[in-house]
Amino acid sequence: PDRSHAEIKQPVQDQHAQLLFNMPDEGFYNAYLTQRLIVDDKLEITTAKAVVLKHSCREGHDHV
């Protein structure tokens, strides 16, 4: 929500990755996973994006 960025180096094991992060403020959070591999002398880059919403109806709907 505050548009800050953080880079987290998370090892990928058995083709699975897990990321846990705090969501202190109500709003949308974007999480990206970028994988870079060298295959047959070529760089292959794969990127996945997840959009997560933190919202509680008890906090109201004025700013969401």
Side-chain angles (χ1 to χ4, degrees), residues 20-35:
L20 302 174
F21 59 94
N22 291 326
M23 296 187 297
D25 297 322
E26 186 172 90
F28 290 94
Y29 291 80
N30 296 315
Y32 298 90
L33 173 67
T34 302
Q35 181 178 13

Side-chain angles (χ1 to χ4, degrees), residues 1 21-31 49-57 59-64:
F21 59 94
N22 291 326
M23 296 187 297
D25 297 322
E26 186 172 90
F28 290 94
Y29 291 80
N30 296 315
K49 177 184 177 183
V51 179
V52 182
L53 170 63
K54 178 183 178 184
H55 174 69
S56 174
C57 286
E59 294 178 18
H61 294 95
D62 294 339
H63 61 283
V64 175

Side-chain angles (χ1 to χ4, degrees), residues 34-50:
T34 302
Q35 181 178 13
R36 295 175 177 90
L37 298 171
I38 302 293
V39 178
D40 296 328
D41 293 327
K42 294 179 185 174
L43 175 62
E44 291 187 5
I45 301 173
T46 305
T47 303
K49 177 184 177 183

